[in-house]
């Protein structure tokens, strides 16, 4: 009996929505007189199923480049330490900036890399490098990592997209996309967490949409017979996939209203906070790659704090801190953290030198990337910068090293090649070595 | 002087003996062209012609970028004139929508591979408008490309400056894209190393880039029409040192792919004008061939060379002597754009029935083609009077310094359905967002409303046409620009009978027609 219930809830396409899941359990339990199947048992079964699907990645993207001093690599006593003060974390000897009190309490789950070193310090070029793993090249539009994963995990039978982006880049022109992989591997974009983007929800009842779809399919037959068979077949394939999505009961995944208020408050009632909650819900449903973009809800400078660091860093961090910490704990409590890699980073860090108002310029030496979950060993700091944070003093990490490590967690061969339309072979990741400390 | 380029041309010419034509003139008639194709494919019998309605929709989509209106369709079907196909070709060629449609094609071709600059929103409106006027006024292709390559000034004031301006004056990118778009040569690979398959040497790429060495471009914040191209006033191009990029590169002088040297020290205007002349010179046969190949591919669903932007030695063309013959005709007419359309559209092979020809007999039947985004928008306007709603632009503020320009209905649909026009037909993806837009978009669905209050085309028809058969025919004419087959009438009738409310049944039918594969496909 228990088995039958599980079969109903968990199938190769992922799992049913939490609500219908509970309904299924309820009905099944009642009918069979079984009341012993708890939520936790189902979660365990689901986790096992998701393991077969492969792990997921949530990228928390600090758009604009966050200051390492005011986040996870404070330099107490240095003339360059800015608006924040160091505080202790729950790992002895490791300090964060005091703008991150909640994250400080989950340091034991984090691997903090303090020695990221790259060559690009302009936003558009750095975003290209850090999000694709390739240096900017005028001849090739490299795909962003999410698109690569979406292609590796392609499964047209699924109802939900495999790559979702939540929030918008603060400035529209600075972005990367599926590039040469083609638009079919682009992210599905949710600008405002909790609100589905336009064109997803049918404007008519589901049964009317179904009968219309059936009518269109019949009308396609004439064209198929008259030489358009290939066009009709291609169209059907994408319409089947689209209908599965827009008619899916799991669309409610994108709706946050059934989450307890206390949990929504814990994530923070900001677009980033609610976006992190949505990311958890999506991963729970088997979505492979979720980006959540943090820009701050007040302006389009985001983490690009050239000016007014004293004014802006506190509230930017206050938006990100509860969301980040709550996400890790929420995933952990649901048994999902070991199958979900959570990455926190931006395109670079900020200069040691700070202006009188606390502003800092772009800096690509010694910036931060945090990893948690997905089998990564927490509670460790990798690499270091010197006492003033001017350059990497220990264990420089290149972006390619990070990408190779992501691939390991996702069980994707980083040396696998794909081909551009002009038959140029391109490796998923070119160069770089796995960072062994992460998994040791 | 090393004429490397032309020695390759010679090689191609020698291996494919040019087809023999009556007389010595390179000019062709449409009958000549049909004969050449028939010879090439060893076909004795002329193919069956497509029915009138199918021909008119195909032609309208190819020339004016939308399906015919019901009035245009009826007029054409009712005409008994023996030369009515020729007449409608002439009439659509002189319709201003012709220029607009092909301007959109070329703007898409250029825009698709221009990466977004840091803080400027690119605006292709001025380029499209300028190109449309040029094409409608009968400007020749060499004159148009000459301006695109050599223009300076602000994009808003001098729109042909868009190409150089929106590539931010980046010499290597401009060299690569100029060769790719206007000559179908993929020399971009030779930027870092000698081309692996073709004969291009790394030096040749950078010698071409040297023509753009003195371009200077100002990229203002936000407004793309203020991007300004001017002369740097000094400097020469340097080929980067691959072995050690920190070292100074090698100075390169501008040398065209044919080996013609332009020499250093020239102004920006002189360099780019000279490049334009070298590119458009009839001696440079790639120029005519590239244009002919692209237009042919769009009209016939397959280029001689595919993808259309690659004449590389690794690509095996179909009917290469036809390609050469048509290109020579194009050169002989002084790159007359409308004349080339006339030549191709009046052939039997353009007007023949749809089929699924293989590469051994590539033009024995017509092929389907995907509509570009703006063609789909214009077809929706024709079918259901879809309004073009444009939200107010936001002014930049201290907090939001870079508000993205608002998107009109046309922008949204064009963007959703856009594709790289240089892709092979079979590589153009159909996407989830396209299907969602056609299924659920509220602006579009607002027109799928039979309620008399709604004021839609559908509501008017449902009210004024009482006969179900006739109403079905009218909807087919509106959306697919043809009359339904008997089978389709049956499908519509039985659907009508299964839905109690008449209005709801026809909302379903209109929705169904808009969501057929046929509506977004040329056939």
């Amino acid at each position: 009996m228990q088995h039958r219930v599980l079969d109903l809830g968990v199938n190769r396409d992922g799992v049913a929505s939490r609500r219908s899941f509970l309904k299924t359990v309820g009905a099944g339990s009642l009918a069979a007189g079984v009341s012993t199947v708890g939520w936790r048992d189902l979660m365990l079964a689901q986790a096992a199923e998701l393991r077969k699907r492969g792990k997921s990645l949530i990228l928390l993207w600090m758009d604009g480049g966050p200051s390492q001093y005011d986040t996870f690599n404070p330099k107490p006593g240095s003339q360059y330490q800015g608006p924040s003060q160091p505080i202790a974390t729950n790992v002895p000897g490791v300090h964060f900036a005091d703008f991150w009190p909640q994250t400080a309490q989950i340091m034991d789950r984090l691997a903090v890399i303090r020695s990221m070193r790259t060559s690009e310090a302009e936003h558009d070029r750095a975003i290209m490098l850090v999000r694709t793993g390739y240096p900017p090249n005028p001849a090739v539009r490299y795909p962003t990592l999410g698109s690569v994963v979406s292609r590796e995990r392609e499964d047209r039978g699924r109802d939900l997209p495999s790559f979702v982006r939540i929030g918008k880049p603060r400035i529209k022109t600075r972005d990367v996309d599926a590039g040469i992989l083609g638009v079919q591997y682009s992210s599905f974009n949710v600008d405002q967490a909790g609100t589905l983007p336009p064109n997803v929800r049918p404007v008519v009842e589901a049964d009317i949409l179904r009968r219309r779809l059936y009518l269109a399919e019949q009308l396609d037959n004439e064209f198929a017979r008259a030489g358009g068979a290939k066009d009709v077949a291609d169209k059907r394939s994408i319409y089947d996939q689209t209908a599965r999505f827009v008619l899916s009961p799991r669309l409610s995944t994108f709706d946050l209203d059934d989450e307890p208020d206390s949990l929504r408050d814990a994530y923070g009632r900001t677009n980033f906070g609610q976006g992190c909650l949505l990311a958890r819900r999506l991963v729970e449903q088997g979505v492979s790659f979720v980006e959540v973009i943090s820009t701050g809800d007040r302006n389009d400078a985001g983490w690009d704090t050239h000016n007014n660091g004293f004014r802006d860093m506190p509230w930017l961090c206050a938006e990100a801190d509860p969301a980040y910490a709550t996400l890790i704990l929420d995933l952990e409590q649901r048994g999902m953290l070991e199958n979900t890699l959570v990455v926190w980073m931006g395109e670079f860090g900020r200069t040691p030198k700070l202006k009188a108002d606390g502003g800092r310029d772009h800096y690509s030496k010694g910036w931060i990337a945090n990893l948690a979950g997905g089998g990564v060993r927490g509670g460790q700091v990798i690499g270091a910068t010197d006492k003033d944070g001017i350059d990497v003093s220990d264990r420089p990490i290149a972006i390619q090293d990070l990408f190779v490590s992501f691939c390991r967690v996702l069980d994707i061969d980083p040396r696998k090649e794909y081909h551009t339309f002009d038959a140029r072979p391109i490796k998923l990741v070119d160069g770089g070595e796995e960072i062994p400390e992460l998994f040791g | 002087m090393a004429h490397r380029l032309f020695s390759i041309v010679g090689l191609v010419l020698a291996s494919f003996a040019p087809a023999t034509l009556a007389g010595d003139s390179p000019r062709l008639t449409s009958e000549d062209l049909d004969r050449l194709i028939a010879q090439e494919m060893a076909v004795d019998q002329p193919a069956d012609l497509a029915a009138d309605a199918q021909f008119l929709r195909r032609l309208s989509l190819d020339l004016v970028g939308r399906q015919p209106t019901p009035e245009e369709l009826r007029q054409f079907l009712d005409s008994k004139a023996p030369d009515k196909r020729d007449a409608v070709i002439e009439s659509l060629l002189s319709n201003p929508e012709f220029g607009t449609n092909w301007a959109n094609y070329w703007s898409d071709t250029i825009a698709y591979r221009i990466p977004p600059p840091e803080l400027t929103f690119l605006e292709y409106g001025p380029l499209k408008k300028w190109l449309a006027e040029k094409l409608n006024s009968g400007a020749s292709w060499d004159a148009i490309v000459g301006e695109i390559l050599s223009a300076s000034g602000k994009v808003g004031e001098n729109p042909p400056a868009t190409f150089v301006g929106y590539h931010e004056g980046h010499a290597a990118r401009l060299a690569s894209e100029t060769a790719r778009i206007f000559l179908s040569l993929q020399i971009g690979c030779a930027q870092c190393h000698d081309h692996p398959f073709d004969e291009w040497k790394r030096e040749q790429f950078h010698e071409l880039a040297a023509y753009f060495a003195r371009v200077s471009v100002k990229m203002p914040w936000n407004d793309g029409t203020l991007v300004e191209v001017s002369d740097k006033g000094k400097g020469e191009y340097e080929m980067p040192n691959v072995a050690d990029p920190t070292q100074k590169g090698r100075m390169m002088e501008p040398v065209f792919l044919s080996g013609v040297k332009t020499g250093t020290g020239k102004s920006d205007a002189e360099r780019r004008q000279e490049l334009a002349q070298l590119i458009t010179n009839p001696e440079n046969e790639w120029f005519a061939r590239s244009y002919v190949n692209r237009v042919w591919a769009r009209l016939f669903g397959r280029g001689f060379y595919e993808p259309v932007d690659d004449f590389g030695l690794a690509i095996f063309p179909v009917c290469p002597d036809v390609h050469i013959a048509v290109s020579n005709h194009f050169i002989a007419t002084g790159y007359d754009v409308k004349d080339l359309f006339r030549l191709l559209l009046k052939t039997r092979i353009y007007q023949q029935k749809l089929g699924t020809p293989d590469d051994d007999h590539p033009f024995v039947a017509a092929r389907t083609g995907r509509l570009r985004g703006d063609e789909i928008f214009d077809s929706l306007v024709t079918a259901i009077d879809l309004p073009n709603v444009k939200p107010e632009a936001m002014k930049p503020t201290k907090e939001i310094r870079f508000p993205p320009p608002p998107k009109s209905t046309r922008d949204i649909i064009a963007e959703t359905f856009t594709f790289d026009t240089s892709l092979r037909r079979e590589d153009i993806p159909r996407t989830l967002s396209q299907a969602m837009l056609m299924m659920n978009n509220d602006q579009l669905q607002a027109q799928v409303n039979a309620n008399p209050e709604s004021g839609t085309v559908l509501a008017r028809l449902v009210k004024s046409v009482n006969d179900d058969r006739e109403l079905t025919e009218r909807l087919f004419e509106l959306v697919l620009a043809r009359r339904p087959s008997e089978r389709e009438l049956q499908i519509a009738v039985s659907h009508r009978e299964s839905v109690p409310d008449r209005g709801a049944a026809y909302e379903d039918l209109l929705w169904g027609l808009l969501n057929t594969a046929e509506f977004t496909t040329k056939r």
Side-chain angles (χ1 to χ4, degrees):
Chain A
M1 271 307 132
Q2 185 166 334
H3 185 70
R4 193 176 67 83
V5 173
L6 292 183
D7 275 349
L8 284 173
V10 184
N11 59 37
R12 62 179 284 279
D13 295 334
V15 289
S17 80
R18 190 175 161 193
R19 220 177 321 184
S20 66
F21 215 123
L22 286 171
K23 217 186 303 170
T24 309
V25 177
S29 311
L30 224 74
V34 179
S35 54
T36 51
V37 184
W39 175 246
R40 191 165 163 75
D41 296 320
L42 288 170
M43 291 317 300
L44 287 174
Q46 174 189 333
E49 186 61 31
L50 289 180
R51 240 192 317 277
K52 268 185 252 158
R53 276 197 59 80
K55 291 177 182 168
S56 300
L57 195 156
I58 298 176
L59 172 62
L60 306 179
W61 180 255
M62 305 297 117
D63 203 13
S67 155
Q68 60 279 28
Y69 296 87
D70 303 312
T71 55
F72 306 116
N73 194 8
K75 294 289 175 185
S78 166
Q79 55 172 320
Y80 298 127
Q81 185 59 33
S84 60
Q85 296 301 314
I87 50 164
T89 66
N90 69 352
V91 173
V94 179
H95 289 77
F96 285 173
D98 61 357
F99 296 153
W100 300 81
Q102 295 190 38
T103 311
Q105 292 310 307
I106 57 152
M107 172 59 210
D108 56 341
R109 279 85 159 182
L110 304 183
V112 174
I113 302 175
R114 286 175 167 169
S115 53
M116 292 303 301
R117 204 172 191 285
T118 46
S119 51
E120 301 293 345
E122 288 304 324
H123 293 289
D124 56 341
R125 296 179 61 85
I127 286 171
M128 272 183 238
L129 172 69
V130 172
R131 296 272 284 285
T132 70
Y134 275 87
N137 177 338
V140 185
R141 283 166 55 229
Y142 291 105
T144 187
L145 183 62
S147 298
V148 173
V149 173
S150 168
R151 186 167 173 276
E152 289 299 307
R153 297 269 176 84
E154 184 165 31
D155 177 0
R156 290 207 153 190
R158 261 178 65 80
D159 55 351
L160 297 186
S162 53
F163 175 21
V164 177
R165 163 194 280 191
I166 305 162
K168 286 191 287 193
R170 63 197 181 92
I171 292 172
K172 192 177 174 288
T173 53
R174 290 169 176 160
D175 203 1
V176 278
D177 56 18
I180 47 177
L181 290 185
V183 287
Q184 62 271 46
Y185 302 111
S186 300
S187 51
F188 175 75
N189 296 338
V190 180
D191 290 352
Q192 198 67 39
T195 309
L196 268 174
N199 304 342
V200 179
R201 282 235 192 263
V203 293
V204 293
E205 297 292 319
D207 56 339
I208 297 181
L209 184 62
R210 279 198 195 93
R211 94 184 172 215
R212 288 179 173 183
L213 284 164
Y214 176 66
L215 180 61
E217 210 171 299
Q218 287 178 287
L219 295 173
D220 274 329
N221 288 336
E222 202 79 0
F223 179 38
R225 268 191 290 268
K230 175 80 170 51
D231 295 277
V232 168
D234 289 352
K235 179 233 151 171
R236 272 190 192 158
S237 152
I238 198 74
Y239 264 61
D240 286 350
Q241 191 194 348
T242 308
R244 261 196 302 278
F245 178 42
V246 305
L247 291 169
S248 171
R250 298 203 290 162
L251 266 194
S252 60
T253 308
F254 290 91
D255 186 355
L256 304 174
D257 288 344
D258 62 351
E259 291 288 343
D261 270 345
S262 55
L263 186 64
R264 295 190 69 176
D265 291 342
Y267 273 98
R269 299 277 182 167
T270 58
N271 200 28
F272 182 68
Q274 301 300 296
C276 285
L277 172 57
L278 176 54
R280 186 220 84 209
R281 289 172 65 94
L282 290 167
V283 167
E284 211 168 20
Q285 299 297 333
V287 173
S288 299
F289 200 102
V290 185
E291 284 175 6
V292 193
I293 301 179
S294 163
T295 61
D297 283 350
R298 299 191 194 177
N299 58 33
D300 67 5
W303 294 90
D304 191 23
T305 51
H306 290 282
N307 302 301
N308 293 313
F310 284 109
R311 186 193 71 189
D312 290 345
M313 282 310 283
W315 68 261
L316 279 164
C317 298
E319 282 192 19
D321 175 50
Y324 184 22
T326 307
L327 174 64
I328 301 290
L329 293 175
D330 198 8
L331 287 169
E332 187 178 71
Q333 276 155 20
R334 286 160 192 272
M336 293 165 63
L337 189 57
E338 61 180 297
N339 296 313
T340 311
L341 176 64
V342 181
V343 179
W344 179 102
M345 68 178 180
E347 62 261 43
F348 41 55
R350 314 296 305 182
T351 46
K353 198 164 172 265
L354 77 165
K355 299 169 191 167
D357 63 5
R360 299 176 191 267
D361 296 329
H362 309 164
Y363 205 64
S364 60
K365 288 184 274 191
W367 52 280
I368 307 251
N370 289 353
L371 282 72
V376 165
R377 182 165 64 83
Q380 61 170 329
V381 171
I382 298 172
T385 51
D386 56 57
K387 69 176 175 42
D388 284 321
I390 291 169
D391 204 347
V392 174
S393 56
D394 177 41
R395 189 78 177 91
I397 304 279
I399 195 70
Q400 291 82 358
D401 302 333
L402 206 53
F403 271 52
V404 171
S405 305
F406 294 163
C407 283
R408 159 156 173 180
V409 174
L410 296 169
D411 197 22
I412 292 171
D413 175 6
R415 306 306 174 205
K416 193 172 161 181
E417 288 182 346
Y418 54 93
H419 291 88
T420 63
F421 284 128
D422 54 359
R424 179 197 299 223
I426 292 178
K427 289 190 180 70
L428 295 192
V429 187
D430 193 12
E433 282 173 34
E434 195 175 293
I435 306 165
E437 300 93 309
L438 286 173
F439 310 105
Chain B
M1 198 178 291
H3 278 252
R4 178 186 307 279
L5 173 68
F6 297 134
S7 73
I8 298 171
V9 180
L11 217 113
V12 173
L13 282 171
S15 49
F16 301 98
T20 43
L21 294 168
D24 290 329
S25 165
R27 292 210 184 216
L28 300 170
T29 62
S30 300
E31 291 75 31
D32 290 338
L33 190 48
D34 274 325
R35 228 172 9 248
L36 276 178
I37 290 276
Q39 264 175 35
E40 183 79 13
M41 288 180 293
V43 183
D44 322 323
Q45 276 178 334
D48 288 339
L49 289 184
D52 274 349
Q54 192 178 346
F55 164 74
L56 185 67
R57 180 170 182 268
R58 185 186 296 167
L59 181 77
S60 302
L61 287 167
D62 277 336
L63 285 182
V64 296
R66 58 165 174 81
Q67 86 266 40
T69 63
E71 293 70 38
E72 289 168 339
L73 175 66
R74 238 165 277 153
Q75 206 180 11
F76 186 70
L77 295 181
D78 293 348
S79 165
K80 298 280 177 287
D83 64 342
K84 68 177 182 179
R85 291 196 177 194
D86 287 0
V88 74
I89 291 172
E90 288 306 328
S91 136
L92 290 176
L93 273 172
S94 51
N95 183 329
E97 292 169 77
F98 161 74
T100 308
N101 181 40
W102 282 89
N104 290 344
Y105 169 89
W106 285 104
S107 175
D108 282 2
T109 304
I110 290 171
Y112 205 89
R113 306 227 185 150
I114 294 184
E118 255 269 280
L119 295 169
T120 312
F121 295 107
L122 301 183
E123 167 54 54
Y124 289 92
L127 176 68
K128 288 180 181 173
K129 188 159 171 279
W130 174 83
L131 259 171
E133 281 163 10
K134 286 281 164 187
L135 291 165
N136 282 327
S137 70
S140 60
W141 186 239
D142 60 326
I144 292 173
V145 175
E147 282 202 68
I148 287 175
L149 294 176
S150 62
S152 291
K154 285 188 182 142
V155 161
E157 290 160 12
N158 192 25
T162 301
F163 176 65
V164 173
Y166 284 5
H167 274 295
E168 304 179 54
H170 192 295
R173 243 160 63 187
L174 282 165
S176 170
E177 283 296 274
T178 300
R180 188 184 71 81
I181 294 172
F182 301 114
L183 304 174
S184 298
L185 299 178
Q186 297 276 349
I187 64 167
C189 298
Q191 183 175 350
C192 313
H193 48 72
D194 294 347
H195 197 292
F197 314 127
D198 293 348
E199 297 214 345
W200 306 116
K201 295 278 176 250
R202 196 172 161 246
E203 286 75 12
Q204 286 180 290
F205 174 85
H206 293 282
E207 286 166 350
L208 186 63
Y211 283 94
F212 298 100
R214 291 197 181 180
V215 177
S216 163
V217 175
K218 249 192 262 163
M219 303 294 293
W221 280 10
N222 286 309
D223 186 353
T225 66
L226 300 178
V227 169
E228 186 172 6
V229 179
S230 61
D231 189 339
K232 211 180 270 174
K234 60 177 193 316
E236 294 299 333
Y237 183 84
E238 271 177 27
M239 176 167 82
N241 186 332
V242 181
D244 182 358
T246 59
Q247 293 296 303
K248 204 169 151 51
R250 198 167 103 211
M251 201 259 280
M252 303 304 280
E253 69 170 305
V255 180
F256 189 55
L257 300 168
S258 59
V260 174
K261 294 182 178 182
T262 293
T264 51
K266 300 241 166 91
S267 72
D268 174 50
E270 286 168 331
R271 279 170 208 244
R272 289 196 285 133
Q273 275 158 14
E274 187 139 350
L275 176 66
Q277 273 163 19
L278 287 163
I279 281 184
T280 59
N281 188 321
E283 297 261 299
N284 173 24
E285 288 157 306
W286 298 118
F287 179 64
R289 286 183 196 175
S290 175
Y291 180 85
V292 165
N293 190 50
R294 272 186 180 274
V295 172
W296 184 284
R298 192 71 196 142
L299 298 183
F300 293 93
R302 196 215 189 280
F304 301 108
Y305 283 80
E306 295 231 311
V308 290
D309 58 2
D310 192 358
F311 287 171
L313 295 178
I315 308 283
F316 203 74
V318 296
C319 303
D321 47 355
V322 179
H323 182 205
I324 290 168
V326 177
S327 304
N328 289 343
H329 170 94
F330 186 49
I331 294 169
T333 63
Y335 305 108
D336 185 331
V337 169
K338 287 193 185 182
D339 173 90
L340 183 70
F341 276 104
R342 225 170 259 132
L343 173 72
L344 304 184
L345 298 172
K346 289 183 180 176
T347 56
R348 277 191 81 92
I349 58 159
Y350 177 76
Q351 301 186 17
Q352 66 196 337
K353 273 191 173 156
L354 199 61
T356 47
D358 59 37
D359 268 1
D360 290 335
H361 306 90
F363 304 114
V364 294
R367 292 162 193 260
T368 61
R370 283 283 292 284
L371 303 193
R372 284 177 298 105
D374 50 274
E375 293 174 323
I376 287 173
F377 177 78
D378 287 328
S379 294
L380 285 167
V381 174
T382 307
I384 54 172
D385 261 351
L386 183 67
N388 190 21
V389 180
K390 186 159 187 161
E392 282 286 302
M394 262 175 67
K395 287 251 182 310
T397 62
K398 222 173 96 193
E399 286 72 37
I400 308 297
R401 299 159 300 161
F402 304 98
K407 284 181 191 164
S408 65
T409 318
R410 173 188 283 277
D411 296 335
I412 291 167
I413 291 176
E415 263 182 40
T416 306
F417 283 92
T418 191
F419 54 83
D420 184 349
T421 63
S422 304
L423 290 185
R424 293 183 307 169
R425 167 76 178 77
E426 56 269 32
D427 291 334
I428 301 169
R430 284 189 188 262
T431 67
L432 187 83
S433 44
Q434 292 169 357
M436 288 198 306
L437 188 146
M438 293 305 287
M439 283 184 193
N440 298 333
N441 177 268
D442 51 1
Q443 290 185 51
L444 211 154
Q445 296 309 318
Q447 305 305 314
V448 184
N449 187 343
N451 185 330
E453 315 282 279
S454 68
T456 61
V457 174
L458 178 67
R460 285 198 298 275
L461 277 177
V462 168
K463 189 160 173 250
S464 62
V465 182
N466 290 321
D467 180 60
D468 281 340
R469 215 179 147 88
E470 193 194 334
L471 182 50
T472 300
E473 282 176 359
R474 298 284 291 275
L475 288 174
F476 266 82
E477 286 173 6
L478 267 174
V479 181
L480 300 180
R482 65 176 172 86
R483 290 179 183 156
S485 68
E486 200 48 48
R487 221 177 344 225
E488 287 168 327
L489 275 170
Q490 281 316 310
I491 292 168
V493 166
S494 67
H495 184 78
R496 162 70 192 95
E497 283 163 0
S498 72
V499 178
D501 181 73
R502 185 167 186 257
Y506 285 102
E507 285 172 356
D508 291 350
L509 183 61
L510 176 58
W511 189 99
L513 289 168
L514 291 170
N515 280 278
T516 53
E518 188 175 348
F519 180 67
T520 52
T521 312
K522 183 184 77 161
R523 57 178 289 200

